[in-house]
């Protein structure tokens, strides 16, 4: 009796494997033409959108706010991110940097929000002209030879780093950061 039960259990355990083996494999969906560039642009779009939303959310009177005297003001952070966007994306595109000195020359919320939006639009144009093959071309950045897509990834990382600073400034002022807001129908965080 014991042997029959063991044999039956072994047969039942083998049955799912036999059934799965008979199924025809489903066709895999084809990757996009430039999967690395597409993935990088998707992440960049999320991060740059958060930076713009934070810049828009902070009231004008808090653009000069510094948590401590040694750090940038909120407005200087926005200008710094805009400057960096142009620097990284012009390097990746092979074009001369079209805008410099935003952090040092712009102080109003309207000017800084416009500058960061323009910088993001410039980077989106760079992404639109990029392919995985072009992105593998090497450029010189700070004495390093880097692939153009790596330069664009550094840009995303840099923007995300400073978005984290912006979040802190917003929280100190009692403002919920854009990425912490609740989409409609979702419970508060």
């Amino acid at each position: 009796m014991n042997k029959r039960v063991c044999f039956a259990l072994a047969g039942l355990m083998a049955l799912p494997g036999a059934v799965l083996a008979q199924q025809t494999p489903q066709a895999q969906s084809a990757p996009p033409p430039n999967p690395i560039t597409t993935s990088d642009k998707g992440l960049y779009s999320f991060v740059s959108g958060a930076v713009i939303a934070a810049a828009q959310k902070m009231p004008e009177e808090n653009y000069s706010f510094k948590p401590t005297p040694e750090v940038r003001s909120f407005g200087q952070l926005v200008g710094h991110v805009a400057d960096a966007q142009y620097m990284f994306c012009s390097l990746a595109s092979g074009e001369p940097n079209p805008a410099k000195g935003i952090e040092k020359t712009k102080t109003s919320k309207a000017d800084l929000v416009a500058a960061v939006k323009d910088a993001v639009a410039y980077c989106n144009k760079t992404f639109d002209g990029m392919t995985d093959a072009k992105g593998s071309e090497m450029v010189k950045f700070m004495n390093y030879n880097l692939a153009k897509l790596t330069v664009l990834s550094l840009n995303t990382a840099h923007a995300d780093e400073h978005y984290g600073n912006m979040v802190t400034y917003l929280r100190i002022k009692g403002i919920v950061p854009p990425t912490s807001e609740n989409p409609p129908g979702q419970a508060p965080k």
Side-chain angles (χ1 to χ4, degrees):
M1 179 82 153
N2 216 0
K3 285 184 183 182
R4 269 196 229 166
V5 171
C6 286
F7 186 68
L9 285 175
L12 287 174
M13 289 173 46
L15 186 60
V19 170
L20 287 174
Q22 291 179 5
Q23 290 182 346
T24 56
Q26 294 180 358
Q28 299 237 348
S29 62
N34 294 289
I36 299 168
T37 304
T38 301
S39 296
D40 280 356
K41 184 177 183 184
L43 182 58
Y44 173 71
S45 294
F46 174 79
V47 172
S48 62
V51 167
I52 290 170
Q56 291 172 322
K57 205 163 188 196
M58 182 66 93
E60 172 89 34
E61 65 268 15
N62 294 333
Y63 260 61
S64 60
F65 170 67
K66 292 179 170 189
T68 66
E70 300 83 23
V71 298
R72 290 180 168 104
S73 68
F74 186 86
Q76 288 171 322
L77 274 174
V78 175
H80 173 73
V81 170
D83 281 332
Q85 300 287 303
Y86 281 115
M87 185 267 301
F88 283 115
C89 293
S90 65
L91 180 61
S93 70
E95 298 174 358
N97 187 337
K100 296 179 183 178
I102 297 166
E103 178 182 354
K104 305 280 188 224
T105 60
K106 310 263 186 220
T107 56
S108 75
K109 176 180 177 174
D111 287 345
L112 287 163
V113 168
V116 79
K117 283 181 173 182
D118 289 347
V120 167
Y122 179 77
C123 286
N124 281 328
K125 185 182 109 194
T126 301
F127 267 111
D128 291 344
M130 191 63 62
T131 64
D132 289 0
K134 274 187 181 172
S136 69
E137 294 172 5
M138 304 302 280
V139 294
K140 189 69 107 177
F141 177 70
M142 299 175 80
N143 295 325
Y144 294 99
N145 289 317
L146 300 175
K148 289 180 176 183
L149 278 170
T150 301
V151 172
L152 292 176
S153 292
L154 285 171
N155 180 49
T156 301
H158 180 263
D160 197 37
E161 173 187 356
H162 287 300
Y163 175 69
N165 299 134
M166 295 167 85
V167 164
T168 302
Y169 289 37
L170 289 164
R171 293 266 187 211
I172 290 170
K173 290 298 183 179
I175 300 167
V176 176
T179 53
S180 295
E181 293 174 325
N182 298 314
Q186 189 177 34
K189 293 181 181 179

